[in-house]
Amino acid sequence: MSNITQNKFSNFYIFMTFLRLGCIAFGGPAAHIVLFHNYLIKKLSWLDEQEYFKVLALAQIIPGPTSSQVGITLGYLKNGYSGAFCAWLGFTLPSAILMAGAAWLGQYFFENLNLYFFHIIQLIVLAVVFWAFWQMLRSLCHHVWQYIVMLFSAVFIYAVPLSANQIIVILLAALLGLLLAQEKPKQNEVKNTQFQLKSSKAYLWLILFALPFLLFPILNHVHPSLFIQAFAGFYRSASLVFGGGHIVLPLLHQDFVATGLISNEKFDLGYAIAQLMPGPLFSFASYLGALLPFTSSILINASLATIMIYLPSFVLVFGTLPYWSWLMQQQKIYKAIQGINAAVVGLLLCLIIQMTEKYIVQWLDVVFVMMVILLLKTKLPVWLTLIASFMSYYFYLNNFVMP
């Protein structure tokens, strides 16, 4: 048995540790990874550096929110399934409560907001998505064939109105990756791999991961309901996210806005608010769930949606962690992910094109979006950048444009 699993922590300690991190984890997944490293590894010595980077490597090759999956894995290594749940709950709870609260308040104030308010929110979302696209393009696309896949993905999704077009694109991109990507450079094998855990039936988790993709279409055909439709949307979106939390936006947009379950204005407002919150971006689902009438309780609805979108992460971590050594040696997985990365950048590019068509109505809007992007490139806090930008343009439109 490895020394990781011998050094157990109480569930309460794991929960409180990640709750503290969840309250201060601003800046997105990259910042979360650094925060975990500085606090859990350097300060508290939960794992050594080498072990932590193994956890990070695993979280990066499976779909889902990287920082949340790192937290789930750390909790699991410290106290099994209950430790994984407590780590996730602590890290997710602050942002989930704030996002559900924003949706609840929106029910009372949404109708009183003028058109300029929503127009500026949409422009801010466009700027944030463009900045995320640029960052992902630079970090995930390194070869000519990846740029071609990215452009093909964007054009296909834009031009072909199929409900499964995003899944088709990702599968095709994975196939192209297998054919065109270079193999991962071989590295010296690390001795004493800590993730050779005793779990002879871990493959059952992977079967469980795949089952919803087979069952949801059948259930929705036999007994269509909002709950099944939403569960399928959240689960499918979370299962296809590679490359960063922002890629969940076009997936959720297709499942909830394009289908008419949530208005475009409310969706964009929630996404803009999510940029100001600490913790994982996936807690945007808490906001969406609060707007969906599963039950008469906003709290229950938000909780259900939050569980739905994170469920694939738990199943994948439990199913893949015992096979860490094997997964890290598979060149086909590495090559397929190169293609998938290019495709998800294409999803964001398509979303930018669609947003630009709808949101840009005058040349000042272009200037405003460019200004927000430039501010995002600075070291100013994101919340300060977005709030200051919003207030400045809102003041201008209300005082110099509004008749």
Side-chain angles (χ1 to χ4, degrees):
M1 185 73 67
S2 69
N3 58 16
I4 295 178
T5 53
Q6 288 175 345
N7 184 19
K8 290 184 177 294
F9 294 151
S10 72
N11 287 330
F12 180 75
Y13 173 72
I14 294 173
F15 170 77
M16 293 304 298
T17 299
F18 276 93
L19 181 64
R20 177 182 298 180
L21 294 174
C23 291
I24 61 174
F26 292 94
H32 300 168
I33 297 304
V34 174
L35 179 64
F36 289 173
H37 181 263
N38 291 339
Y39 188 73
L40 299 176
I41 309 307
K42 287 188 173 182
K43 185 176 180 179
L44 300 182
S45 299
W46 276 31
L47 303 176
D48 65 31
E49 298 261 348
Q50 193 177 76
E51 292 163 350
Y52 177 72
F53 290 126
K54 291 178 187 178
V55 172
L56 180 57
L58 179 65
Q60 289 175 328
I61 69 167
I62 58 178
T66 300
S67 58
S68 293
Q69 289 175 162
V70 168
I72 290 171
T73 303
L74 293 175
Y76 177 74
L77 292 173
K78 289 303 177 184
N79 206 22
Y81 297 127
S82 61
F85 176 79
C86 290
W88 165 79
L89 183 62
F91 188 60
T92 307
L93 194 59
S95 57
I97 291 175
L98 291 171
M99 291 304 298
W104 176 71
L105 289 174
Q107 291 187 338
Y108 299 97
F109 299 104
F110 189 84
E111 301 299 332
N112 297 323
L113 302 175
N114 63 29
L115 293 178
Y116 284 142
F117 180 93
F118 293 110
H119 179 58
I120 299 172
I121 289 295
Q122 290 171 335
L123 295 178
I124 287 176
V125 170
L126 174 59
V128 170
V129 173
F130 186 89
W131 177 237
F133 162 77
W134 178 248
Q135 290 180 305
M136 292 175 65
L137 179 66
R138 295 177 61 189
S139 63
L140 300 180
C141 294
H142 305 289
H143 305 284
V144 174
W145 70 268
Q146 288 182 302
Y147 286 97
I148 295 174
V149 170
M150 176 200 69
L151 293 173
F152 168 79
S153 300
V155 171
F156 182 84
I157 293 172
Y158 182 84
V160 180
L162 293 175
S163 59
N165 57 6
Q166 293 174 336
I167 297 177
I168 294 172
V169 161
I170 289 176
L171 291 176
L172 289 175
L175 179 60
L176 289 173
L178 289 173
L179 298 174
L180 301 174
Q182 298 177 353
E183 292 190 353
K184 183 178 182 181
K186 293 184 179 180
Q187 300 176 348
N188 295 329
E189 187 174 350
V190 179
K191 296 181 180 180
N192 190 27
T193 300
Q194 301 292 347
F195 300 151
Q196 295 175 347
L197 305 178
K198 294 181 179 180
S199 183
S200 60
K201 297 183 179 180
Y203 65 89
L204 294 177
W205 288 107
L206 300 179
I207 295 175
L208 183 61
F209 170 76
L211 278 179
F213 290 98
L214 302 175
L215 294 179
F216 284 143
I218 297 174
L219 291 174
N220 201 39
H221 177 74
V222 174
H223 184 68
S225 67
L226 172 62
F227 182 81
I228 295 174
Q229 183 180 354
F231 202 147
F234 284 120
Y235 191 92
R236 180 171 56 247
S237 297
S239 301
L240 297 177
V241 172
F242 288 87
H246 288 283
I247 198 60
V248 79
L249 181 64
L251 299 171
L252 292 176
H253 191 279
Q254 178 170 290
D255 285 318
F256 294 98
V257 177
T259 57
L261 294 177
I262 295 176
S263 70
N264 195 72
E265 292 79 11
K266 291 182 179 179
F267 185 91
D268 287 339
L269 177 59
Y271 188 73
I273 294 173
Q275 310 305 313
L276 310 177
M277 301 297 173
L281 186 60
F282 266 48
S283 294
F284 178 41
S286 306
Y287 172 90
L288 298 179
L291 299 177
L292 296 171
F294 299 134
T295 70
S296 59
S297 170
I298 289 180
L299 179 60
I300 294 176
N301 298 342
S303 300
L304 288 173
T306 307
I307 292 171
M308 291 173 188
I309 202 168
Y310 282 104
L311 184 59
S313 295
F314 281 95
V315 177
L316 284 171
V317 167
F318 298 156
T320 58
L321 191 58
Y323 307 119
W324 182 92
S325 295
W326 181 84
L327 288 169
M328 293 300 106
Q329 296 172 5
Q330 300 308 302
Q331 292 288 353
K332 290 183 178 180
I333 293 177
Y334 174 81
K335 293 173 70 174
I337 288 176
Q338 306 311 301
I340 292 172
N341 285 341
V344 298
V345 177
L347 298 187
L348 280 184
L349 177 59
C350 177
L351 184 64
I352 289 171
I353 295 172
Q354 294 171 332
M355 286 182 168
T356 301
E357 291 178 339
K358 292 187 294 184
Y359 299 165
I360 300 295
V361 297
Q362 57 182 336
W363 68 270
L364 279 176
D365 293 342
V366 178
V367 174
F368 175 74
V369 169
M370 293 177 63
M371 180 192 71
V372 176
I373 293 171
L374 291 174
L375 288 174
L376 289 172
K377 293 180 63 176
T378 68
K379 295 183 179 180
L380 292 172
V382 174
W383 64 267
L384 179 61
T385 293
L386 299 186
I387 292 176
S389 300
F390 174 86
M391 294 180 65
S392 299
Y393 202 36
Y394 187 79
F395 175 82
Y396 174 80
L397 292 179
N398 273 282
N399 288 276
F400 298 101
V401 178
M402 181 177 288

